[in-house]
Amino acid sequence: MERLPLHKIKANPNNPRIIRDGKFKKLVKSIKEFPEMLEARPVVVNPDMVVLGGNMRLKALREAGVEEAPVYIASWDEVKQRQFIIKDNVGFGEWDWDALANEWNEEELQDWGLDIPGFDLDADGLGEDFDLPDGDKEPFQQMTFTLADEQAEVIQNALESMKATDDYKYAETMGNENSNGNALYLIVAAWAGQRR
């Protein structure tokens, strides 16, 4: 590990992690208030000085006016570099799903511990006799929404509240086994009914 000027460190253009404004401001504040934490968690770069771990930290360091930071230079092959980028971030921030879909291999991501929504079906474990039934399939859709942290909290609380009611317990699910989807449907249906 060594200390390097930030102008020598290059942000990774294929960084699959993002951090929202509120959390980014908190990160900048924590760096200003407790800069010693950087010694325990250096920015990890490859020999070309491209960040493998700490892109958002680097951005926050620059925002905080820091001129140099502890850096660990990892001399790993390309596969290990890509693996580290995912494994280092599995439990933090938010994923840029478009970047992951375009730049990363799905099987490697899952092997490295990343849960990819919508890809939890293990086709290898289905066996040779597995076959989809003929005829029409049940009409299910997956919808994705981007929310601010405060919006997500309100919606999560509403979903949990709905799931605790008798309305939810005895609702017609139309074959849908997703509890959040069913709770959201009941909330929206109740709202739509009030608007009529």
Side-chain angles (χ1 to χ4, degrees), residues 30-48:
S30 69
I31 287 170
K32 287 179 177 178
E33 293 176 350
F34 186 29
E36 296 85 0
M37 74 176 181
L38 298 170
E39 301 295 330
R41 190 139 166 83
V43 175
V44 179
V45 299
N46 66 17
D48 296 325

Side-chain angles (χ1 to χ4, degrees), residues 10-144:
K10 303 171 199 158
N12 192 326
N14 297 320
N15 178 36
R17 266 318 215 188
I18 55 177
I19 187 169
R20 301 288 178 202
D21 288 345
K23 289 184 179 181
F24 179 73
K25 288 176 185 172
K26 288 179 184 177
L27 179 57
V28 172
K29 182 179 178 192
S30 69
I31 287 170
K32 287 179 177 178
E33 293 176 350
F34 186 29
E36 296 85 0
M37 74 176 181
L38 298 170
E39 301 295 330
R41 190 139 166 83
V43 175
V44 179
V45 299
N46 66 17
D48 296 325
M49 296 300 128
V50 175
V51 176
L52 302 176
N55 276 285
M56 294 302 107
R57 216 168 326 127
L58 176 62
K59 182 177 176 184
L61 285 164
R62 288 178 173 150
E63 179 75 19
V66 176
E67 294 183 8
E68 66 175 32
V71 174
Y72 176 81
I73 302 171
S75 297
W76 300 323
D77 63 34
E78 183 70 22
V79 172
K80 283 202 175 185
Q81 288 182 43
R82 290 172 62 80
Q83 185 176 1
F84 177 80
I85 290 169
I86 298 303
K87 287 187 171 187
D88 184 55
N89 285 296
V90 166
F92 304 100
E94 295 178 51
W95 291 107
D96 181 340
W97 294 108
D98 289 336
L100 285 172
N102 293 323
E103 302 291 333
W104 299 84
N105 176 288
E106 174 192 332
E107 289 178 10
E108 285 181 333
L109 293 173
Q110 289 178 324
D111 187 48
W112 297 337
L114 179 63
D115 293 324
I116 303 174
F119 294 99
D120 53 357
L121 181 63
D122 180 9
D124 293 336
L126 297 175
E128 293 178 17
D129 296 331
F130 178 79
D131 195 12
L132 289 172
D134 292 332
D136 292 335
K137 311 300 184 285
E138 291 291 332
F140 294 107
Q141 298 180 28
Q142 181 173 352
M143 302 173 84
T144 303

Side-chain angles (χ1 to χ4, degrees), residues 171-183:
E172 168 57 52
T173 65
M174 293 162 254
N176 185 10
E177 295 179 6
N178 182 279
S179 62
N180 284 337
N182 290 324

